Amino acid sequence: MARMSVEKFFAYYGENAALKNVTLEVPDQQVLALIGPSGCGKTTFLRSLNRMNDFVKEFSIEGLVTLDGVDIYSPDMHPVVLRRRVGMVFQKPNPFHKSIFENVAYGLRIQGIRAKSVLADNVEESLRSAALWDEVKDRLNDSAFSLSGGQQQRLCIARALAVEPEVLLLDEPASALDPISTSRIEELIQDLKTQYAIVIVTHNMQQAARISDQTAFFLLGEMVEMGETSRIFTNPSDPRTEDYITGRFG
Amino acid sequence: MEVDNVVPLEGTKEKARTGNARPGRVSSNTFLSRSDRFFGWSLQGGGVFILGLFSIVLLICLIESWPSIAKFGFSFLWTSTWNPAHGVFGALTYLVGTFWVTGIALFISIPVAIFSALFLSDYAPKWLSGIVSTLMEMLAGIPSIVFGAFGITFMVPLLRDHFEPFLANTLGKKWDFFNGDPMGYGILAAGIVVGFMIVPLVATVTRDSLLMVPHEMVEASYALGATKAETVFFVKLKAVVPGMVGSFILGFGRAVGETMAVLLVIGNQASIPQTIQDVGYTISSLLANTFTYAVIDPLYAAAEVELGLILLLITLVVNTLGRRLLMRLMGGRLAGSVGGG
Amino acid sequence: MFTNRILTRRGNPAGFGRLLLMLVVALFAVLGMSRAGWSASNITISGSSMLFPLEQVWAVAYMKSHPDVHISVASTGSGFGIANAANGNITIGASDAYLTKAFRKRYTNLVSVPIAFDDAQVIYNIPGLKKSTVLRFDGPTLARVFLGDIRFWNDKHIRALNPHVRLPHQKIKVIHRADASGTTFVFTDYLNQTSQEWFDKIGRDLSPAWPVGSGYNGSDAVVAAVMSTPGAIGYVGLGWVQEYHLTTAALKNLDGYFVVGSVDSINKAGFKALKDPEFPDDFNRSIVWKLHGKDVYPDSNFEFWMVNTNLDGDTMKHVRDLMIWALSTGQDPKYTVSTGFAPLPFAPLKPRLDKIVHRLLPGNTYNERSPG
Ligand SMILES: Nc1ncnc2c1ncn2[C@@H]1O[C@H](COP(=O)(O)OP(=O)(O)O)[C@@H](O)[C@H]1O
Ligand SMILES: [Mg+2]
């Protein structure tokens, strides 16, 4: 079953088309990896799924994006509600100027949850899911900026998980991290896919191969092909895909 | 680039990021290191100059005020008789007046300044925010005497005929402190005028801090399903707390020492205000009014210089405490904060 | 014409300019330019802000007729004028007050010269009262008002002095000067001489410890505050009364007459004072309340120049010439009245002025010009 589906999607920055006629489905309880050279529109695509591009001036779209069958760009879906259901983790760790606890609790607080015990339970659960609990449980009131880069990124994941989204978007979440942190996050993604539909952008072919179930290859704003990860990496149907994954360009 | 790549092993406590993780770059280029050293020296020179200037000012104040310090000791601080004719001097009245004016000014200006900073950084359309920002910077440059004149011609009548009677008839019914005799001139007028003067200062610094909040942090909030108001109030404002506290300290310094505008509207009367409608006296307005006369009598002059010294020390203490507070707010580190200092 | 007065007095409504000037002068003092630096024909006058406008018009006129002399005038406050004339930083210190006994002891080398005549007048703003209604006050009642003991306009003491005036039950708002001021000195001198209570509690000073009321920097601010505050009472000098056409109270004088301050009534007071043999030659004493006569305004006093007896001979001769000019030609109404002072006929006082001049420059007298 597909959680989200995209049909004949075009995205423009002013006059420039960043995405051209993209059609794909985001499967539930699986990891979808988006690969492709820099500037091919992966981030643009990801941010179109939770309408983060609304904040970009001159940005416009054509086509259809649905979440459980509802057009997310229609008045039937308020962006605020959409973003609670479609969470996002960014390339660079971006914690708030708050304590570790409050960073995770933020999404709940703005939903009006005040009860201390509820907040505490949710924060603990989210931090455990993000495999950060043991490292921070004794210093929940410290500033989030006292954490290392890898810990900060896992905190951002915990923060996104706390609001219990249905889809989780990850934009090169490990690109700025060391190998140990990276592997932790990869494990994490494996654990999480049992509950969420996950879309991850990555530049790392091995990573894509390791963690994803489906892979979509983007090139110059177009989606060249999408399929089972094992097939894409062993037997791509488009020569451009093969060139890319074998490192002949990009 | 991320600075830190260290993830501790399970169960071990991570040490705070420390500088020694990154060894200092040793330059083989002697010219570079020499110019580095020269730069270091000139910075040190600047520091020493500031320190020296401060010590000299402090020393001169101490010497000049010594007759008064020796004669009255600490009782200078908590006695309120100020009678040059009898050679009796006590600072309490002026300390209390300074306290009220500064307090009222901050009470009024801080919320106004924060709201105008938010408006300028997040709500106003660009063209409007440009105009308002320019106006605000101009406002910050207006001589204080102009604010004083504004106080006399506009605030005083407004307070006397409308606001002070209103306070007396509302809050005054419950608390005697608001049930004074409407006069227009007084600590309220002085506090409001000084408050207006420091709004541009606090607002400009806060706005600049807000504009420097990383876009990523803002996006993180939206991505969690926050509205604009939630993002602005709970994320952006929180991120600029150090900048704001810094601007409050600047505002405090300006308010506590403000002379001309206060002098014109406070009603320069050496008595401790019993109500918010009362007249009062601040240290700086007393000095401006009488210092040229006080030089006629060494003890009188010494007492006035001692008042100036106290003003200096108050500013020093508030600055230090403010810095401490900043450190506490940031959990001992200023990393990643915006506009700190 | 008051244009000049407006420019000068209003242009410096508060202490900042004065403070700046003081700093500049102090800097000169520190640099050791005090004595050696001045050429003999350079006269610096600094001090009283009240005398400042008069000194300015004098300086312009005097330099026109005496091109060899340069006079610079600064308004720095009486205290500064006295202190710096005494230590030689300036040539002439201008003061609103004479040297009281304590200051004569501290500044033994100063000679005070009466140079102009001014007064303090009581102004008020009583709702419901016609603008032209002249209230009557005696010293003790006025003192009680300024001590805060009389709090309403229809107090029985005020009513007793003004039986024909309908006074409202309105709170009295006392308004006084905040900066050190000659007008304050003259005003408190009157209270001091007429009220034992005032004498005991407050005394007379350029900047006394006011028990009640609110203070304003400069006479213009006092006028503004009185005019804008219902129930206010305050005091200003003759010049301000004339400029703003203010109605002022009639004050009770020594012989029991109620007299309103005017050029005429304070001129009479000055004349009486100058002729009274009881006064010391240097006028280092209050004349307030000491004067008899039907038309004599009781609350008036001299303004002074303080001259250091240690000035070098050349400078002293120039000072003497300037002084004599100021006391004769300089008393013309075009200088004095236009800047808020009463012109005084100093010539009849020749013997006394002779003595002063002699103290400053032995052998010289009031109208004899020394050669060179
Ligand atoms: N905010 C923006 N304004 C204008 N053009 C943009 C913006 N963001 C991205 N683009 C352009 O859109 C194209 C796709 O960018 P992006 O989605 O960031 O690619 P990727 O994430 O695959 O590297 C690029 O050509 C880029 O220059
Ligand atoms: Mg990208």
Side-chain angles (χ1 to χ4, degrees):
Chain A
M1 240 286 301
R3 280 327 283 270
M4 299 190 81
S5 80
V6 180
E7 266 173 60
K8 297 187 182 136
F9 190 76
F10 290 76
Y12 304 93
Y13 294 107
E15 300 285 292
N16 297 329
L19 291 172
K20 292 165 222 159
N21 201 13
V22 175
T23 300
L24 65 72
E25 301 212 318
V26 177
D28 202 11
Q29 298 194 331
Q30 287 192 16
V31 176
L32 166 63
L34 306 182
I35 60 170
S38 278
C40 68
K42 305 180 297 291
T43 298
T44 305
F45 180 75
L46 207 63
R47 290 166 58 96
S48 296
L49 296 180
N50 67 345
R51 295 188 61 174
M52 284 304 286
N53 281 328
D54 289 13
F55 304 110
V56 180
K57 274 213 185 79
E58 311 262 287
F59 181 80
S60 60
I61 60 141
E62 274 169 36
L64 183 68
V65 183
T66 60
L67 173 63
D68 290 340
V70 181
D71 180 358
I72 66 166
Y73 284 93
S74 74
D76 298 340
M77 181 73 81
H78 195 281
V80 165
V81 176
L82 171 71
R83 291 185 200 120
R84 283 178 192 171
R85 295 177 61 185
V86 182
M88 185 165 203
V89 175
F90 298 79
Q91 186 168 355
K92 262 174 68 184
N94 53 359
F96 299 133
H97 256 289
K98 298 172 185 288
S99 66
I100 293 168
F101 183 92
E102 286 302 331
N103 259 277
V104 182
Y106 177 76
L108 301 168
R109 284 193 189 278
I110 58 176
Q111 290 184 23
I113 296 167
R114 291 278 174 279
K116 275 220 172 87
S117 58
V118 177
L119 287 175
D121 289 350
N122 268 299
V123 168
E124 177 173 349
E125 200 189 310
S126 306
L127 284 169
R128 279 189 194 283
S129 302
L132 191 59
W133 175 253
D134 289 331
E135 291 159 50
V136 300
K137 61 173 187 260
D138 298 324
R139 43 188 285 211
L140 290 174
N141 291 322
D142 284 9
S143 165
F145 285 89
S146 67
L147 297 172
S148 73
Q151 289 174 319
Q152 286 185 16
Q153 190 63 304
R154 277 180 283 148
L155 180 70
C156 291
I157 294 174
R159 184 174 68 184
L161 297 180
V163 295
E164 297 178 347
E166 297 154 32
V167 180
L168 191 60
L169 310 174
L170 302 151
D171 191 355
E172 299 184 47
S175 69
L177 303 183
D178 63 285
I180 301 173
S181 301
T182 303
S183 66
R184 286 185 152 272
I185 285 175
E186 286 180 11
E187 284 166 29
L188 185 59
I189 291 166
Q190 289 301 314
D191 292 346
L192 293 175
K193 78 172 181 192
T194 56
Q195 298 167 54
Y196 306 91
I198 295 177
V199 184
I200 180 170
V201 171
T202 178
H203 270 295
N204 184 328
M205 292 306 117
Q206 286 89 19
Q207 187 175 61
R210 273 198 303 271
I211 63 172
S212 69
D213 304 298
Q214 303 271 329
T215 298
F217 172 59
F218 280 67
L219 186 64
L220 296 169
E222 283 176 79
M223 202 212 41
V224 175
E225 71 172 302
M226 172 174 164
E228 296 277 323
T229 299
S230 51
R231 183 185 67 75
I232 296 278
F233 277 91
T234 53
N235 187 19
S237 51
D238 194 296
R240 290 172 294 177
T241 314
E242 186 166 7
D243 287 349
Y244 181 70
I245 58 179
T246 53
R248 244 166 275 167
F249 70 89
Chain B
M1 273 301 292
E2 274 303 306
V3 177
D4 190 86
N5 296 323
V6 186
V7 168
L9 294 171
E10 209 77 54
T12 62
K13 277 209 172 167
E14 189 201 18
K15 270 193 189 164
R17 283 192 276 171
T18 49
N20 59 18
R22 246 191 344 179
R25 206 179 57 167
V26 182
S27 172
S28 57
N29 186 329
T30 50
F31 170 75
L32 244 186
S33 67
R34 199 176 289 170
S35 73
D36 270 359
R37 229 180 301 156
F38 178 75
F39 187 57
W41 285 338
S42 39
L43 287 186
Q44 266 178 20
V48 167
F49 176 78
I50 302 263
L51 207 73
L53 193 68
F54 188 81
S55 320
I56 287 173
V57 169
L58 205 67
L59 191 73
I60 289 179
C61 284
L62 263 174
I63 293 172
E64 291 292 316
S65 61
W66 189 249
S68 165
I69 296 174
K71 180 152 184 208
F72 304 111
F74 279 111
S75 73
F76 186 74
L77 293 175
W78 55 76
T79 54
S80 57
T81 312
W82 184 274
N83 195 331
H86 299 162
V88 184
F89 299 96
L92 186 65
T93 318
Y94 307 103
L95 285 172
V96 172
T98 306
F99 167 81
W100 276 119
V101 171
T102 310
I104 294 170
L106 289 178
F107 181 80
I108 289 168
S109 61
I110 285 178
V112 174
I114 291 178
F115 276 94
S116 34
L118 284 176
F119 173 75
L120 291 177
S121 73
D122 285 83
Y123 287 92
K126 245 205 177 108
W127 62 271
L128 183 61
S129 131
I131 293 174
V132 175
S133 294
T134 313
L135 286 179
M136 211 157 64
E137 273 146 32
M138 278 166 64
L139 219 56
I142 288 178
S144 55
I145 188 131
V146 176
F147 277 95
F150 159 79
I152 290 181
T153 53
F154 182 74
M155 285 315 300
V156 166
L158 187 73
L159 290 180
R160 181 188 62 225
D161 300 334
H162 302 288
F163 190 59
E164 287 183 349
F166 170 78
L167 273 183
N169 291 330
T170 51
L171 294 177
K173 292 265 180 284
K174 201 149 183 238
W175 296 287
D176 280 346
F177 181 68
F178 295 97
N179 197 9
D181 209 3
M183 163 103 183
Y185 294 94
I187 53 172
L188 186 58
I192 291 175
V193 169
V194 175
F196 286 175
M197 291 178 64
I198 58 182
V199 161
L201 185 74
V202 178
T204 309
V205 176
T206 305
R207 179 206 58 189
D208 290 349
S209 304
L210 282 169
L211 290 177
M212 271 159 34
V213 171
H215 190 57
E216 291 82 9
M217 203 183 280
V218 175
E219 289 205 315
S221 171
Y222 283 125
L224 288 166
T227 60
K228 176 162 186 177
E230 285 160 349
T231 304
V232 164
F233 279 92
F234 302 138
V235 173
K236 289 192 87 172
L237 264 193
K238 188 84 207 303
V240 301
V241 162
M244 283 196 301
V245 172
S247 74
F248 299 164
I249 295 172
L250 284 179
F252 174 89
R254 177 99 198 251
V256 86
E258 176 47 42
T259 307
M260 291 316 303
V262 170
L263 178 153
L264 290 176
V265 298
I266 196 173
N268 310 293
Q269 169 63 21
S271 42
I272 291 176
Q274 304 299 317
T275 75
I276 199 162
Q277 287 95 339
D278 281 356
V279 290
Y281 223 148
T282 64
I283 291 177
S284 49
S285 49
L286 175 78
L287 296 192
N289 273 328
T290 59
F291 190 69
T292 52
Y293 176 55
V295 295
I296 200 167
D297 175 355
L299 184 63
Y300 192 175
E304 297 222 335
V305 176
E306 190 177 351
L307 281 180
L309 187 65
I310 290 172
L311 205 59
L312 188 74
L313 293 178
I314 290 175
T315 321
L316 199 69
V317 167
V318 167
N319 263 301
T320 315
L321 289 183
R323 240 158 244 279
R324 284 263 174 83
L325 176 70
L326 271 186
M327 290 306 202
R328 175 98 52 87
L329 286 173
M330 299 319 298
R333 52 181 66 231
L334 290 165
S337 64
V338 181
Chain C
M1 278 295 290
F2 290 107
T3 341
N4 182 46
R5 177 194 180 85
I6 293 166
L7 279 177
T8 51
R9 282 204 183 169
R10 285 221 199 125
N12 181 19
F16 180 71
R18 209 184 298 158
L19 219 70
L20 205 73
L21 258 164
M22 200 185 85
L23 277 174
V24 170
V25 179
L27 201 71
F28 272 93
V30 168
L31 292 176
M33 299 183 62
S34 50
R35 286 285 176 73
W38 305 122
S39 85
S41 55
N42 231 331
I43 295 177
T44 50
I45 307 173
S46 171
S48 160
S49 55
M50 194 187 239
L51 267 176
F52 179 65
L54 176 58
E55 288 162 347
Q56 276 187 310
V57 293
W58 276 353
V60 171
Y62 192 77
M63 286 191 284
K64 210 176 261 170
S65 55
H66 300 74
D68 55 324
V69 178
H70 182 80
I71 304 173
S72 47
V73 186
S75 159
T76 55
S78 298
F80 184 83
I82 293 173
N84 280 277
N87 62 28
N89 291 334
I90 54 176
T91 327
I92 295 174
S95 169
D96 299 325
Y98 57 87
L99 288 178
T100 55
K101 218 185 234 159
F103 287 126
R104 277 204 297 278
K105 255 186 230 153
R106 180 170 300 141
Y107 302 116
T108 49
N109 58 352
L110 288 186
V111 169
S112 53
V113 186
I115 201 81
F117 211 62
D118 197 3
D119 74 343
Q121 302 189 37
V122 174
I123 58 176
Y124 40 84
N125 173 0
I126 306 170
L129 212 64
K130 258 197 271 160
K131 196 190 171 291
S132 57
T133 308
V134 173
L135 286 187
R136 293 175 156 202
F137 273 107
D138 60 12
T141 307
L142 204 55
R144 271 190 211 119
V145 169
F146 276 80
L147 283 167
D149 294 337
I150 294 179
R151 293 179 50 230
F152 289 92
W153 278 108
N154 61 351
D155 184 276
K156 61 177 189 289
H157 296 93
I158 304 179
R159 282 213 316 268
L161 290 168
N162 300 280
H164 305 299
V165 184
R166 282 192 55 161
L167 289 159
H169 184 71
Q170 165 95 30
K171 254 197 193 143
I172 300 179
K173 299 269 170 68
V174 170
I175 280 168
H176 51 76
R177 285 283 288 274
D179 49 333
S181 146
T183 313
T184 302
F185 186 84
V186 181
F187 181 68
T188 52
D189 198 8
Y190 177 68
L191 301 182
N192 216 36
Q193 309 269 354
T194 52
S195 158
Q196 186 63 39
E197 212 185 340
W198 186 271
F199 181 90
D200 294 338
K201 286 185 178 160
I202 311 296
R204 95 193 132 195
D205 197 51
L206 275 83
S207 178
W210 294 103
V212 293
S214 55
Y216 301 85
N217 189 304
S219 290
D220 46 357
V222 166
V223 172
V226 170
M227 290 304 117
S228 69
T229 309
I233 185 170
Y235 58 88
V236 289
L238 174 70
W240 298 95
V241 173
Q242 293 184 330
E243 183 179 341
Y244 289 112
H245 306 288
L246 303 170
T247 301
T248 67
L251 297 189
K252 190 177 176 185
N253 75 11
L254 188 54
D255 291 342
Y257 296 102
F258 288 90
V259 183
V260 174
S262 67
V263 172
D264 189 50
S265 67
I266 71 167
N267 185 288
K268 286 208 168 73
F271 198 62
K272 278 264 163 49
L274 289 165
K275 291 225 308 212
D276 191 333
E278 263 190 41
F279 285 111
D281 292 332
D282 53 5
F283 290 90
N284 273 325
R285 191 172 146 188
S286 170
I287 69 157
V288 169
W289 188 245
K290 293 282 158 55
L291 307 170
H292 293 275
K294 192 171 178 298
D295 312 319
V296 167
Y297 184 66
D299 197 0
S300 37
N301 213 341
F302 290 108
E303 300 279 313
F304 297 89
W305 274 356
M306 303 289 166
V307 183
N308 191 322
T309 49
N310 301 332
L311 288 181
D312 68 76
D314 268 358
T315 309
M316 191 62 98
K317 279 192 193 89
H318 282 291
V319 168
R320 190 206 66 140
D321 289 348
L322 172 65
M323 236 166 58
I324 289 168
W325 181 90
L327 291 173
S328 48
T329 319
Q331 292 300 314
D332 190 296
K334 75 179 172 194
Y335 305 121
T336 50
V337 175
S338 74
T339 51
F341 297 88
L344 283 173
F346 282 99
L349 274 299
K350 185 178 172 318
R352 294 185 158 204
L353 293 171
D354 277 352
K355 280 186 194 161
I356 295 174
V357 175
H358 179 78
R359 252 195 85 191
L360 289 173
L361 203 60
N364 275 267
T365 59
Y366 177 57
N367 50 5
E368 178 195 310
R369 287 183 144 266
S370 65

